[in-house]
Amino acid sequence: MGSPHRKTLSFFLIFVPIYVHGALLQEARPAVQRKPFFQRLRRLEEQFQTFQEVTLTHLQAIASNYNLSYNIDARFQSLAQESQAMALAVNQSQAAVQSDLGHLKTWMRKTHRRSRKVDSRLLALGATLRERSQQRALQRKAQEAQREALSSLALDLRVLQDTLARLMQVVQSQGTRLDTLEGWLQVPGPGTTVPAWPPTQPEPPSASSPKLQGSRQVLKALPEPRDSPQDFADHLQGTWEPPGPGSQWTRPPERPGEICNIGPALVFPNASTENVVFLSPGFLLGLRALSVCSWIRTTSGHLGTLLSYATEENDNKLVLHGRDSLSPGSIHFVIGDPAFRELPLQPLLDGQWHHMCVIWTSILGRYWLHVDRRLVATGSRFREGYEIPPGGSLVLGQEQDSMGGGFDSSESFVGSVAGLAMWDRALVPREVSHLATGKEFPPGAILTLANAASVGGFVQRVNCTCLELCP
């Protein structure tokens, strides 16, 4: 970088002697043509001083330029090092970017494959949704058709309900008449004589009278009692078999007013939450009608809970319970809480055996309470059209506040229960009367004490020959 300045300095050193030599040659010329020597010498000194000043100025500029060039070299070296470092950093960055780009390409390929899978799934889901929408449209059409059919059937059902209600009333009213006619039309067995009619009663109608002939036709249509007392007990225990061809029906009891062959009995000795009996299986199908009959004896001041049926959604689907807070002898008949009816059962508090039947049907919500063969309470519009659902927990002696538990000792039953049975239909008065006297066990029972799968606490299960001998 310093060579141009050195060439300039050499030029000036050569130029100065040449210039001085020229000046001396001009002074050697004739005196006419020259000026005075001293004047020229002064001018030459002045020019030399000027030249020195110019030379000094140029030398100072050259020195400053030399220093500047030296600093520039150092700066260029530092810039070269920085550029090398930057190039290394750029190379490293390029390698990192290439690696990231490779990972990104791999991720993009995976994402693309996943997107294709998602697209295929979405297409399959769309096809499924279209099929389901078509199915729902068909179902809606079918439901609309069913609604129309149900609306037409509802009118027919209402007519049938009214007709059936009238028939039930007729059946209830004819039950007593049939019992009386059965006494008139008893056929004497071999070796027996027909008893004479008491003189205080009116003479029965003759065999040729139209009224008696119609009654006989009704009695012939009804099934004849075939069960013996032992068969009747087998009915209650769930082991009944049809009697043999040589079996004969003999009427118990051996003594007037005595009921025998009633099957097993359950004794609840005290008010304890552990005294409970589970019936299994419970209701396998929904019930639109129900009959619950049993012999009951209690020495407590209130009845307590005879029966409780609970499901997951409602712990009071079917309850027959009383507690010490209720009036003595009253019991709540609950179907689908909170609907209930209060039934009067004061005669059951005398410590003696009594037969009780509670009957309900969803047709017009009719219900009946029979105590010792007598109708003591009836009503309608109680859970009309309702169905007791299946799959719940059915217990005796306790009231369930939760399915299979939540017992309260104040609601416990204290006493004895014998011959308990349930039907999924409404028993007629004749069946209730025959059941209370031990004559005949109505067919079609869905539950009896033979279904007592678990007997807890101090509850005792005993077999009694007659009610008077049961504890």
Side-chain angles (χ1 to χ4, degrees):
M1 295 295 291
S3 60
H5 301 290
R6 293 190 185 98
K7 290 179 180 180
T8 304
L9 180 59
S10 300
F11 173 75
F12 278 109
L13 291 176
I14 295 171
F15 175 74
V16 170
I18 294 172
Y19 182 77
V20 172
H21 179 72
L24 291 177
L25 288 178
Q26 288 181 0
E27 289 179 356
R29 292 177 182 178
V32 179
Q33 296 179 357
R34 297 179 301 170
K35 290 181 179 182
F37 175 76
F38 292 104
Q39 292 180 354
R40 290 183 178 179
L41 183 61
R42 282 195 296 270
R43 284 196 300 272
L44 183 60
E45 289 178 354
E46 291 176 357
Q47 291 178 357
F48 184 76
Q49 289 178 355
T50 304
F51 177 76
Q52 283 181 341
E53 292 177 357
V54 172
T55 302
L56 181 62
T57 302
H58 281 285
L59 290 175
Q60 288 178 353
I62 290 170
S64 63
N65 289 332
Y66 180 78
N67 294 332
L68 180 63
S69 65
Y70 180 78
N71 294 333
I72 288 174
D73 290 337
R75 289 181 181 178
F76 269 110
Q77 290 178 359
S78 63
L79 287 174
Q81 293 176 356
E82 291 178 358
S83 64
Q84 290 177 358
M86 187 175 293
L88 181 61
V90 167
N91 291 332
Q92 292 177 353
S93 299
Q94 287 180 351
V97 169
Q98 291 295 333
S99 177
D100 292 339
L101 286 175
H103 291 301
L104 183 60
K105 289 179 180 178
T106 304
W107 181 80
M108 288 293 293
R109 287 194 296 270
K110 292 181 180 179
T111 304
H112 186 62
R113 288 195 298 268
R114 291 177 182 175
S115 64
R116 288 201 301 268
K117 291 181 180 180
V118 170
D119 291 338
S120 61
R121 290 179 181 177
L122 288 175
L123 291 175
L125 182 60
T128 304
L129 289 176
R130 286 192 297 272
E131 291 178 359
R132 290 186 178 179
S133 62
Q134 293 175 358
Q135 292 177 358
R136 289 180 180 176
L138 294 176
Q139 289 177 357
R140 283 195 296 269
K141 292 180 181 179
Q143 289 177 356
E144 290 176 357
Q146 289 178 357
R147 290 193 191 97
E148 294 177 356
L150 288 175
S151 60
S152 61
L153 288 175
L155 300 175
D156 298 337
L157 181 60
R158 176 61 62 180
V159 175
L160 289 175
Q161 286 178 346
D162 295 339
T163 304
L164 187 57
R166 289 193 296 269
L167 290 176
M168 290 294 292
Q169 293 176 357
V170 172
V171 169
Q172 293 286 340
S173 61
Q174 293 295 328
T176 305
R177 297 180 182 179
L178 289 175
D179 291 337
T180 304
L181 291 174
E182 186 183 32
W184 289 351
L185 299 176
Q186 287 178 354
V187 180
T192 60
T193 58
V194 179
W197 292 97
T200 57
Q201 294 190 9
E203 183 179 358
S206 62
S208 60
S209 64
K211 181 176 180 179
L212 185 55
Q213 290 178 356
S215 301
R216 285 178 176 174
Q217 292 177 357
V218 172
L219 289 175
K220 289 180 181 178
L222 296 174
E224 292 296 329
R226 298 176 300 171
D227 299 349
S228 65
Q230 183 59 40
D231 296 333
F232 181 73
D234 292 339
H235 265 303
L236 296 179
Q237 298 179 14
T239 59
W240 178 82
E241 296 180 356
S247 61
Q248 295 291 332
W249 170 262
T250 58
R251 289 195 176 188
E254 298 179 357
R255 294 192 300 271
E258 191 176 49
I259 305 298
C260 296
N261 302 309
I262 48 87
L266 298 175
V267 180
F268 297 80
N270 54 10
S272 172
T273 56
E274 297 182 357
N275 295 340
V276 60
V277 176
F278 286 86
L279 298 183
S280 179
F283 300 141
L284 301 179
L285 300 174
L287 301 181
R288 291 187 174 274
L290 178 70
S291 297
V292 181
C293 298
S294 177
W295 282 279
I296 298 174
R297 180 166 70 177
T298 178
T299 57
S300 177
H302 64 283
L303 290 175
T305 302
L306 300 176
L307 178 144
S308 173
Y309 179 69
T311 61
E312 291 289 349
E313 63 175 0
N314 192 334
D315 57 356
N316 290 324
K317 281 297 184 182
L318 172 63
V319 186
L320 287 172
H321 77 103
R323 55 187 301 165
D324 50 9
S325 61
L326 298 176
S327 59
S330 65
I331 191 169
H332 282 179
F333 178 32
V334 182
I335 295 182
D337 190 32
F340 74 95
R341 292 292 184 270
E342 186 169 345
L343 304 180
L345 292 174
Q346 288 83 1
L348 274 65
L349 300 179
D350 59 359
Q352 302 297 323
W353 283 104
H354 295 276
H355 188 264
M356 180 193 73
C357 273
V358 179
I359 303 171
W360 168 81
T361 176
S362 62
I363 300 175
L364 299 180
R366 296 296 305 273
Y367 67 93
W368 301 268
L369 170 63
H370 296 266
V371 177
D372 296 333
R373 303 170 56 188
R374 292 179 300 174
L375 181 64
V376 298
T378 185
S380 61
R381 306 298 178 187
F382 177 45
R383 280 302 190 183
E384 181 179 1
Y386 184 75
E387 179 178 305
I388 302 174
S393 173
L394 182 61
V395 303
L396 303 178
Q398 298 288 345
E399 198 273 329
Q400 304 175 85
D401 288 335
S402 61
M403 189 170 173
F407 303 141
D408 186 353
S409 59
S410 65
E411 298 174 330
S412 301
F413 173 75
V414 179
S416 302
V417 176
L420 184 140
M422 301 181 194
W423 292 262
D424 57 355
R425 60 185 179 87
L427 299 182
V428 298
R430 179 176 180 273
E431 292 175 315
V432 174
S433 177
H434 285 185
L435 184 62
T437 55
K439 291 182 179 180
E440 184 180 6
F441 187 85
I446 58 175
L447 285 172
T448 64
L449 289 184
N451 299 104
S454 174
V455 178
F458 298 97
V459 179
Q460 301 176 5
R461 176 171 180 154
V462 297
N463 291 320
C464 307
T465 57
C466 297
L467 279 178
E468 299 299 329
L469 302 178
C470 291

